Every structure is written in C-alpha cells, then in structure tokens.
Amino acid sequence: MTLVPVPASASGDRDHAPVYRSEVRASLTALLIGVSATVLTWQVGIWWPQGYGLPYALAASVGALAGLITYNLHRRTLWDSPPGERTHAELTPRGPASFARQWVFALPLATALTLILGLVLTGLYSSTDENGLHRIYQRRGLSGWGIEDGLVVDVQYNLSSTGPFPGWYYGVPVMISTVLLIIVVYWSLRRIAAAARPTSPGLFHVDTTLRSLRTVFVMATSSAALAFQVAGLLAVTGNVLRVSHLDAVPTADTFATANTVPVEPGHTLALIAILSSLAVAVAAVILLIKALTVVADLWSAERTARASNHGPER
C-alpha cells in the first residue's frame, strides 16, 4: 500500500509534507524505542542470573509495549486547514478495525489467545525446582539395573527433571504481558480511528490511506513481537519435551551406555514444536520487514509531497 499525496491543485496549494514527515518520525522513534527496550530487557537477563531467563521470555512484549506507547504519544502534525474553510462531516462510522482486512486483526488475536491457553497447559504440567519455582518438567527416568546370567534384572526408575520449562514462573508474567499488549494495540487502533478527518473532502482518501498504513504498522510491529515470543517458547518447550520423551533401554553390556528410544506421540509433537518455532521466527522477521516497508512508504510520500509543492530538490 503506497500513500500518494494529493496534487497541489486538489488540496488548495497546501503543503502536506509535514503530515507525512511527522508520521515517519513517530514510526522510527517507536521502532528505536521498542528495539532498545528489547535489548535492555535481554541485558537484564544477563545481569540477573537469579531470574533464570525470565527477562528473555518478556523481552519481545516489553519492547512492543514501549514502542507502541511511544508511537501513540508522539506528537503529530495535523492536516493543514486554511481559516474559513467549511468542515464536512463524515457519516461513515470508524472503528478500530475499519482500516485493514479483518484477518489482520483476527490472526494475531487468535495467536495471542492460543499462546495464553498453551501457557496455562504448560503451567499445569510444570513442577517446582529446588527454589520452589514452577519452571521444570518432571518425567520418569532410568536410574539403574542389574545383570544376572547375562540378563537384565532389577530395572529401577526415578523422577528426573528437565528445564527451563515454561511453567507458572514464566507463564504468568508472559500471560500478563500478552494481555497488556492486546490492550495497548486496541488503544492504538482506537486512536487511529478517532483522529480528526481533514476539513476538505478531497483529502479523505489520502487520510484513509494514511490511517491504513498506521494500522498496518501497529499490527505488524505488535504481531512481530508476539511471533518472536511464541517462537522462543515453542523452541524451549519442544526441546524439553524432546528430551523428556526419550526412554533409556537397559543393556546387558555393563560397559555400554544405555540406548534411548523415542516415546510417541510426545517425541514427534516435540519435533513439530521445534520446527514450528523456526517457521514462526521467519514470520516474525517478515512482519518486522513489513513495518519497515510502511516507514519507507511514508518517507517516499513525504519526499513526493515536498517536491510537488516546492519543486524538485537541488
């Protein structure tokens, strides 16, 4: 979607380049703040080993929240309206979902709700570590066996633990951050829809395109953060389940290491989770590129508007 500035003859010889320029600044500032907040949260994970990786799980949502709040609060230049020009009311109602296709909103919302449901399930299956934190997954593990007349006898099992696992220790903060992200995204979309229209009806279609680009930017950045979060949790969960669904097989050779066999369907589901995490991570990168494309479109529109009002740059 490319925003094409209205020619000077159709817009009353008004310079609308500042409108596009302010949008470019708001978008770039939001991206910078969001990435900085994400990096800083990762650094907290390095500085705070007692957090057991919790800052890593929250980094994407913290960055998205910081970026979107900055995007909403950034001061913008309004459409230029000459004194005395009559205001034309628009009778079409505008809502948060008015400026993009419905799947643009439905898919990220469904992903967020699925993430919350998945964290509830992993929380229910989690166990406490030595510090009382729900962050490990317990399973049956082979502890030893005996050999008698070349045969395996007296096979013994105990409970083994694997982690980090996204139990309640990680799940509750991530669920809270995901709900906050949904709220902030809704707030962002409401602000886009509620912003005042230009007074001139000839600018309505340009204003609609601008709102569409802003909507795409909000949904692309928030969805990218959500996708990175989901990818990380899928990778961690899949790895823990993969290790946990390998049963050791005792051997009569006392000098050999016990072989392992996969336990189905858990082992296959774990591999699917790991592969899915790679696909979701690729989708997150694509969404981030989409947000940068919106910024490029706004920057191009600003340059075109400036050239059409003031002549070509020298």
Side-chain angles (χ1 to χ4, degrees):
M1 181 185 299
T2 303
L3 192 148
V4 180
V6 175
S9 58
S11 60
D13 294 325
R14 282 169 278 168
D15 182 9
H16 297 302
V19 176
Y20 309 139
R21 188 180 307 121
S22 69
E23 284 298 330
V24 172
R25 290 173 179 171
S27 303
L28 289 177
T29 302
L31 287 174
L32 179 61
I33 294 296
V35 171
S36 299
T38 301
V39 173
L40 181 60
T41 307
W42 270 81
Q43 283 297 120
V44 171
I46 298 175
W47 299 331
W48 183 39
Q50 294 80 9
Y52 302 108
L54 179 59
Y56 302 140
L58 296 173
S61 57
V62 169
L65 289 170
L68 288 177
I69 291 173
T70 301
Y71 186 71
N72 288 334
L73 299 181
H74 195 282
R75 185 176 179 181
R76 286 176 169 79
T77 302
L78 302 178
W79 293 106
D80 184 21
S81 301
E85 183 175 13
R86 291 183 59 186
T87 301
H88 297 263
E90 184 187 29
L91 300 180
T92 304
R94 303 192 303 270
S98 297
F99 298 98
R101 293 186 176 93
Q102 295 304 307
W103 65 267
V104 173
F105 310 104
L107 187 57
L109 181 60
T111 302
L113 296 179
T114 303
L115 171 62
I116 293 174
L117 177 60
L119 289 172
V120 171
L121 292 176
T122 56
L124 293 174
Y125 280 97
S126 65
S127 301
T128 55
D129 63 4
E130 66 276 7
N131 299 311
L133 304 176
H134 280 265
R135 52 179 297 271
I136 61 173
Y137 182 83
Q138 286 190 335
R139 69 188 191 279
R140 188 188 73 164
L142 181 67
S143 60
W145 65 92
I147 304 296
E148 185 175 310
D149 297 331
L151 300 176
V152 175
V153 297
D154 192 23
V155 180
Q156 300 173 3
Y157 295 91
N158 64 359
L159 282 179
S160 299
S161 300
T162 306
F165 183 71
W168 297 122
Y169 175 72
Y170 302 102
V172 172
V174 172
M175 283 189 283
I176 292 174
S177 67
T178 302
V179 171
L180 289 176
L181 182 59
I182 294 173
I183 294 173
V184 172
V185 168
Y186 181 79
W187 173 45
S188 305
L189 298 176
R190 286 281 298 178
R191 285 177 59 88
I192 293 171
R197 279 287 202 188
T199 56
S200 173
L203 292 173
F204 280 7
H205 70 286
V206 182
D207 179 65
T208 297
T209 306
L210 180 60
R211 291 172 195 261
S212 297
L213 286 173
R214 292 183 63 187
T215 299
V216 170
F217 179 82
V218 169
M219 295 309 300
T221 51
S222 59
S223 298
L226 180 63
F228 276 123
Q229 193 164 261
V230 170
L233 291 171
L234 274 176
V236 171
T237 304
N239 186 61
V240 170
L241 293 180
R242 180 188 62 83
V243 174
S244 302
H245 286 83
L246 289 174
D247 262 1
V249 179
T251 173
D253 187 351
T254 56
F255 297 100
T257 304
N259 294 323
T260 57
V261 293
V263 179
E264 301 297 351
H267 188 263
T268 298
L269 292 175
L271 295 178
I272 292 174
I274 294 173
L275 294 176
S276 298
S277 70
L278 298 176
V280 174
V282 171
V285 173
I286 293 174
L287 288 167
L288 190 57
I289 293 174
K290 180 63 177 178
L292 293 173
T293 302
V294 172
V295 178
D297 287 342
L298 290 168
W299 179 73
S300 177
E302 185 268 331
R303 288 176 60 88
T304 304
R306 185 170 51 186
S308 64
N309 282 277
H310 303 290
E313 293 183 351
R314 295 175 181 270

